[in-house]
Amino acid sequence: MKKRQARSEVPVEHTWNLDDLFTSVAAWADAYVAIDAALPGIALHQGQLGTSAAHLLAALDAVEALEQQFARVSTYAHLRNAQDGTNPAHQAASARAAALGARIDSATAFVESEILAMPEGVIPQFLAAEPGLEVHRIFLTDLMELRPHRLGAEAERVLASLGEVLNAPHMVYNRAKSGDMQFAPFSSAAGAQFANSINGFESDYESHSDTSVRRGAWQSFSAGLKAYNHTFAATFATEVNKNVTLGRLRGYTSTEDYLLQAHKIPQTVYRNILHIIQAELAPHMQRYARLRRKVLGLDKLLYCDIKAPLDPEFNPRISYEEGCELVLKSLAPMGPEYCAFAHKTMTQRWVDRSDNIGKSSGAFCASPYGVHPYILITWSDTMRNVFTLAHELGHGGHFGLAMQHQRFVNTRPGMPFVEAPSIMNEMLLAQHILGQNSDTRMRRSVIMQVLGTYHHNFVTHLLEAELQHQVYALAEQDQPITAGLLHQRKGDLLAKFWGDTVEIDDGARMTWMRQPHYYMGLYPYTYSVGLVASTAMAQRIATEGEPAVQRWLNVLKAGGTLKPLELMQAAGIDMHSPQPIHDAVAYVGRLIDELEASF
Ligand SMILES: [Zn+2]
């Protein structure tokens, strides 16, 4: 049986170097204390913001400095907890960071209330009078849009002080998943024993070539999830009820209206994404499922077979170093500056690639302002890993550029843009490999990787988005959100999407338990927006070359100074039109055409 390592057994060169954030836990604790000590200084601005443009600027700069410091403190706690969530010291530090965040929210809540209480016209006047306020223009403008939805100062203060409690569903979900959830070992048809884990399942067994391993792992994985189905239904329901209540309190017409406000995206685009992709992609994915069943020689395709490799013998093992080289070559169109940064990210221990007990599943990139990106990934020598690395480097490159060109307050764009630069790099990687290879098996392997990306975003995350859409509608009608209801809804929408090509079992119905996205507002659909835009953009770069690259780099540097769809517009993609969505789905169809023809 393959035994998983403890964090202490992992070679140091496979881990990230958090010294760039804080040289020691003691230094982190000092920074933590310093932030707490700075809170009374913030309070001195209270009641002063409306008195002059200079007072407003002083307060906004002070809050920005504090939040920038806090980002560093909370990232350190977050990364340590992600590298080993079973370590009680990491859990405690993470909880302390969350508590500090709530204290900051509470201590700075007056800033927003005071600005919103200013008479109409004052903010434009202040902006005209004080050039220093220009950097805060977006914050101030966004705030003005919230004006009709603000509660009284006292109510806002109470809500802010409850921040930690309001985030409890997400925290409990994560704690249960990384700390408590257990999976029984399972065996293959040949009698080999395997230990199971979320990481092991998602990065290995789920796409294993041996059907008995895949199905054995699935049984063990589903049983592990089932033990938490009422717990996770309760955390999910609490999160949903929280958002429904907050949306109502703030006078939004619907919870989706409330949650989309932060995304700065029209409801029509959100709905187009949900409807067009489900309707137009389903026939292509059903073709892909039929091909998979035929090639694998299976009587029926179970849900746990939908990621089975079609050509498992052709499985080039790719070491981390080889993966880095491939990614770097594929990023060459982005120019030398971008590539130098990517090279640094991959070689200076900014990446944590070990597999160890307690490590967070999946992959992510964190970019603390003024430091550099940190990437978490579990490397298992697969082509999938290479695509994931390219993806996370996309986030790192984006925020690396945005941090260089924008102040802290203007670094992050709205959520619907966030996944575009990352998926863009996956597209460049695919173009690079496909452009160099006429070998059928190699092309097939890369097309399947790209289809993996589309599956992940246009199917997995999109169906999560559809489930959210349905669950919020039900919760608004005061329907209780229970495990039974979630299983049924998830099963129904999977059955509708896959038709008769995939058998939807109890494990499939429980897959809503796998993702933390339900605790992040309407996050899941944003992946599809990013993928639609990056599909279009990668094609522009391939056909137009340099001018398209320049537009894209400028958009990355712009950080959060434009709204998501404005950023896409500046890159040359009109997302108000449904056309890029139709085009992206049609592109998936063409990839499946080539795959079908290759067998
Ligand atoms: Zn991403």
Side-chain angles (χ1 to χ4, degrees):
M1 196 192 289
K2 191 181 153 198
K3 194 177 165 290
R4 297 182 75 222
Q5 294 172 300
R7 181 70 184 178
S8 57
E9 298 167 325
V10 171
V12 72
E13 64 272 22
H14 293 185
T15 64
W16 49 30
N17 179 8
L18 298 184
D19 290 358
D20 297 344
L21 269 168
F22 292 102
T23 49
S24 64
V25 175
W28 175 80
D30 288 347
Y32 186 102
V33 171
I35 292 174
D36 256 334
L39 292 180
I42 296 288
L44 296 177
H45 294 279
Q46 192 155 4
Q48 302 295 312
L49 272 54
T51 57
S52 73
H55 274 115
L56 178 62
L57 177 61
L60 293 181
D61 282 350
V63 170
E64 182 189 20
L66 189 76
E67 283 178 348
Q68 193 174 319
Q69 265 306 106
F70 175 65
R72 208 160 165 149
V73 164
S74 66
T75 301
Y76 187 75
H78 167 56
L79 296 185
R80 297 212 318 145
N81 203 46
Q83 76 189 28
D84 184 3
T86 60
N87 186 322
H90 296 174
Q91 288 176 8
S94 177
R96 282 187 69 202
L100 179 59
R103 288 200 293 281
I104 293 173
D105 285 351
S106 172
T108 56
F110 75 89
V111 173
E112 293 194 2
S113 346
E114 276 188 34
I115 294 169
L116 287 163
M118 289 177 192
E120 195 91 37
V122 170
I123 288 298
Q125 202 186 315
F126 279 5
L127 278 165
E130 171 54 78
L133 278 174
E134 196 51 39
V135 75
H136 299 291
R137 178 182 288 275
I138 293 154
F139 167 74
L140 292 168
T141 314
D142 288 350
L143 201 52
M144 287 301 137
E145 286 176 18
L146 293 180
R147 205 184 187 118
H149 302 288
R150 289 289 290 193
L151 307 174
E154 188 62 12
E156 291 292 348
R157 203 182 58 77
V158 170
L159 282 177
S161 68
L162 285 172
E164 200 184 344
V165 178
L166 293 174
N167 288 330
H170 193 183
M171 193 263 286
V172 174
Y173 173 85
N174 279 340
R175 207 56 65 77
K177 202 173 152 193
S178 70
D180 291 338
M181 197 176 263
Q182 301 279 333
F183 302 94
F186 64 94
S187 30
S188 68
Q193 283 264 305
F194 296 86
N196 207 357
S197 66
I198 293 177
N199 264 350
F201 179 76
E202 291 185 344
S203 66
D204 190 3
Y205 306 136
E206 191 179 23
S207 53
H208 204 281
S209 60
D210 181 335
T211 301
S212 74
V213 170
R214 234 170 30 242
R215 293 182 176 181
W218 177 247
Q219 292 303 329
S220 145
F221 185 72
S222 301
L225 286 183
K226 187 158 173 61
Y228 285 82
N229 80 123
H230 296 297
T231 307
F232 286 180
T235 54
F236 192 173
T238 307
E239 177 73 12
V240 167
N241 290 333
K242 172 187 85 179
N243 288 328
V244 170
T245 306
L246 288 173
R248 279 179 185 158
L249 279 173
R250 295 189 179 285
Y252 285 90
T253 50
S254 70
T255 314
E256 283 178 339
D257 225 32
Y258 161 58
L259 294 173
L260 285 174
Q261 169 97 39
H263 294 190
K264 307 179 190 178
I265 196 166
Q267 271 229 16
T268 47
V269 177
Y270 164 74
R271 287 180 191 270
N272 278 347
I273 286 278
L274 276 186
H275 295 153
I276 297 174
I277 296 178
Q278 282 185 88
E280 295 183 9
L281 186 65
H284 294 310
M285 291 307 287
Q286 290 176 17
R287 272 198 296 141
Y288 191 22
R290 277 192 287 271
L291 175 71
R292 181 166 264 113
R293 188 181 67 78
K294 191 184 91 182
V295 172
L296 297 178
L298 298 172
D299 289 343
K300 53 185 176 186
L301 197 71
L302 304 186
Y303 188 76
C304 59
D305 297 324
I306 59 172
K307 291 185 178 171
L310 294 187
D311 190 6
E313 251 78 289
F314 186 83
N315 187 19
R317 305 297 289 173
I318 305 175
S319 69
Y320 177 71
E321 290 72 19
E322 290 164 339
C324 291
E325 204 184 314
L326 193 55
V327 169
L328 212 51
K329 279 185 184 155
S330 74
L331 295 178
M334 298 289 280
E337 192 196 349
Y338 189 93
C339 287
F341 189 75
H343 182 257
K344 244 176 144 176
T345 306
M346 294 187 287
T347 54
Q348 306 205 346
R349 287 185 58 216
W350 297 358
V351 177
D352 196 284
R353 59 189 155 104
S354 70
D355 182 13
N356 58 259
I357 295 165
K359 182 159 167 175
S360 172
S361 65
F364 67 76
C365 176
S367 299
Y369 192 86
V371 190
H372 58 68
Y374 280 103
I375 291 174
L376 178 138
I377 186 171
T378 301
W379 196 268
S380 52
D381 288 346
T382 63
M383 187 64 102
R384 184 73 237 159
N385 287 158
V386 186
F387 275 82
T388 304
L389 180 63
H391 178 106
E392 300 307 336
L393 279 168
H395 289 306
H398 178 202
F399 290 115
L401 283 172
M403 289 193 300
Q404 277 167 34
H405 290 86
Q406 306 299 338
R407 281 259 297 262
F408 176 76
V409 278
N410 290 328
T411 325
R412 284 192 76 81
M415 256 189 194
F417 187 78
V418 169
E419 292 301 329
S422 50
I423 303 174
M424 171 67 191
N425 282 9
E426 291 189 59
M427 298 290 122
L428 289 178
L429 177 61
Q431 279 179 359
H432 170 73
I433 307 174
L434 289 175
Q436 298 217 315
N437 283 282
S438 52
D439 174 62
T440 307
R441 295 183 83 187
M442 187 61 179
R443 291 186 68 83
R444 208 148 72 180
S445 147
V446 170
I447 288 172
M448 286 188 61
Q449 286 311 319
V450 179
L451 286 174
T453 296
Y454 283 100
H455 189 149
H456 192 62
N457 299 290
F458 275 5
V459 183
T460 309
H461 294 327
L462 195 86
L463 295 182
E464 286 166 14
E466 174 63 30
L467 182 67
Q468 273 191 312
H469 174 62
Q470 295 184 11
V471 165
Y472 278 110
L474 290 170
E476 283 173 344
Q477 295 155 26
D478 298 321
Q479 180 125 351
I481 307 304
T482 61
L485 176 122
L486 291 164
H487 295 332
Q488 192 212 326
R489 288 280 167 161
K490 182 77 197 209
D492 288 353
L493 63 93
L494 283 171
K496 188 175 169 210
F497 185 83
W498 292 104
D500 60 1
T501 61
V502 178
E503 191 169 290
I504 304 303
D505 57 16
D506 282 344
R509 283 184 270 275
M510 288 192 293
T511 48
W512 59 267
M513 297 170 65
R514 287 177 64 171
Q515 295 291 348
H517 297 150
Y518 300 111
Y519 305 92
M520 305 173 181
L522 291 183
Y523 189 40
Y525 88 96
T526 64
Y527 283 94
S528 293
V529 181
L531 183 52
V532 166
S534 50
T535 303
M537 200 59 215
Q539 282 164 10
R540 300 282 163 86
I541 287 180
T543 53
E544 269 181 61
E546 187 57 23
V549 171
Q550 277 316 320
R551 288 202 305 273
W552 189 242
L553 289 173
N554 287 338
V555 158
L556 298 183
K557 290 172 188 168
T561 55
L562 295 171
K563 293 181 180 179
L565 298 197
E566 291 170 352
L567 288 167
M568 289 165 185
Q569 200 80 49
I573 313 293
D574 178 15
M575 289 292 295
H576 289 283
S577 149
Q579 198 53 46
I581 311 176
H582 296 304
D583 291 347
V585 174
Y587 175 67
V588 180
R590 290 199 296 279
L591 292 174
I592 294 172
D593 291 343
E594 180 172 344
L595 209 55
E596 280 182 324
S598 80
F599 283 99

